[in-house]
Amino acid sequence: MRRGGPALRTGVLACGGALIAAGLVAPVLTQSAGASVVAAELGPRSLADDTVLGVFTPLGGGMGSGPAADVKAIVLKGDDTVYAGGAFTTASGVTGTTKIAAWSNADDTWHALGTGAGGNVYTLAFKGDDTLYVGGAFTSVSGISGTNRIVAWSNADDTWHALGTGAGGNVYALALNADDTLYAGGAFSAAGGVSGASKVAAWSATGSVWHSLGGGADNEANSLASSGDDTVYLGGGFNSTGGVPGTKRIAAWSNVDDTWHPLGSGLNSNVYALAVQGDDTVYAGGQFNDAGGLAIADRIAAWSNVDDTWHSLAGGAGSDVYSLAVDDAHGLVYAGGDFATVGPLSANSVAVWDTGISTWIPLQAAGGDGVGTSGQYVYAIAPHDSTVYLGGTFSTAGGVTVNKIARWTWDAPSAEATPATGAHGTTIQVRGSGLIGVSGVRVNGSPASYARDDSTTVSVTVPSSLYDGTYPIAIDAVGGTATTTYTVTGSPAPVPPRTPGAPSGVVAVAGDGSASVSWTAPADVGSFPVSAYEVTSSPGGRSCLVSVPSVTCVVAGLVNGTSYTFTVRALNGAGWGPASAPSDAVTPRAAVRPTIVITGSRDPGDPRVSLVRGVTTGLAGERVTPYVRFAGESEFTEGKVTRPVAADGSFDWQRRTARRIVVYFTHGATVSNRIAIPAR
């Protein structure tokens, strides 16, 4: 606990990891340009245009006045419900809101959770949509036995539930892991009777049992933060955890090897708050003025898992930091405490570190910065998009009466391109107000490269793909989206390459279910040589594709008896050109199968001569071949002279013989019937 002042617990709301586990903070985004969270050990901010950045509003009538009404912890259920815990005995006079209450944004009203808690609430954590975990100094909640210092409220049945037999001493911090394991820290020597669970322990919801973490800590734990499901960070007044050297006031528990690990050489005084940004950076706040030998890290510092080093945040805070929370989506770290300054900035107990520009920003409303007056503190912070909830000892925020709890809402940002006109491919400055927590820039709707100069200026690169015209620029910041326009001049679009002209002279010849199409190449090939042609039928859209130099193509899959026309188009490196004029219509038909029929024979007047007559289909203009078998022979003999077929398909054949013969005619695979001519 904080010595020499009011009791406090920032609880899980000082823990960015727990917020991530509860689904309240979006995944980390990497901006396309900007300073690293720990890259710059600087530096004065520039807020010449940012006189008002947002507005404070009360949550009903708050929690009353006096130290007994303090809010120690806040946690959110999405943007619907705000849970607050502390020392208060009522929330806006609602019955049953002793030490714990729920604010509904749907009806702007405080609601009781059972009949409240029997002692101070120091920490809160929320899991999914169902379960609120509460830690503190109480020994009973709503008269339910076993609720010693830690308890769970179920939204499924609106009932309090014990976690085993609870903790043997006060619980000051809670954090949820990605696998729904609950971590608790405090002044207890045991949790659920488990030995070795000194000052820190883990509750498994699936097994409903408490677990020790490597023997725990040798002194009280004030804060917890979770990073995914692998690492849990612990802060407090301890000198070691599990006997591991270097774990002074801060340590990391690894679920990979079930071991405590140091963060450098630790800190030289109490840690009251922790928050995790992604997997890379851990923020610590408290009473210390030395972090791993970094003497300028007053009360707040950042540990980088990238270089395993402590970093200062522009020199730190002027007094103790009691609460921290991370908004990963916008690269913001909120800090609350009893400080009057952070870095070079004047601030009343609350400010935000913008990691994109390594700068402190005030929560500056029309009625003034921050909360309350000297001696009024911020113990709890919970951000959600453009809204931040604050709890503590304060009675006003930004000049507005709020009574221990307040809601901060960032104003919508504004922007104006400077210059507003110029060439493409250049970098321009977009100036405005509220350009804080910038998470992305879009030019003409597409992500653009940018760099942040300060909270009022973003340098934006206009894409070289844009040509003369006016384009929108959108900058996404914590307060919303700022929009402006930029006009590109002196950058005319290049002349687009030309496609080929249309082929000409398209001729189609019908076949059986198909058509053979030919054409003449286009006179204008465009900007590139022609590489292919495509023929398309109408109706049906049947097509064929050929590469140059071919200028013929067979379109298959046509319906016999249907009339078709055909168009042709050409392709070059610029694309397909226009279609040609259609061909004359043709009608595919089934192929005619040739036949040969001998219709008869007669005596032409000479008893030694026989005249054979026949008719064909599909063989007009062709020649047929006779085959003869004489009486007494077993084989046919091919005639030496073929017979022409007339235009009407008829033919005749004469044979001078007195013997009996059998005759038939052929044309390729087509064979006629046979007739016998008697002997003369």
Side-chain angles (χ1 to χ4, degrees), residues 654-673:
Q654 287 183 335
R655 181 75 181 188
R656 182 185 298 272
T657 180
R659 301 169 60 185
R660 179 181 183 274
I661 60 173
V662 178
V663 179
Y664 71 88
F665 294 84
T666 69
H667 181 279
T670 304
V671 181
S672 74
N673 58 315

Side-chain angles (χ1 to χ4, degrees), residues 85-97:
F88 53 86
T89 57
T90 182
S92 293
V94 175
T95 302
T97 55

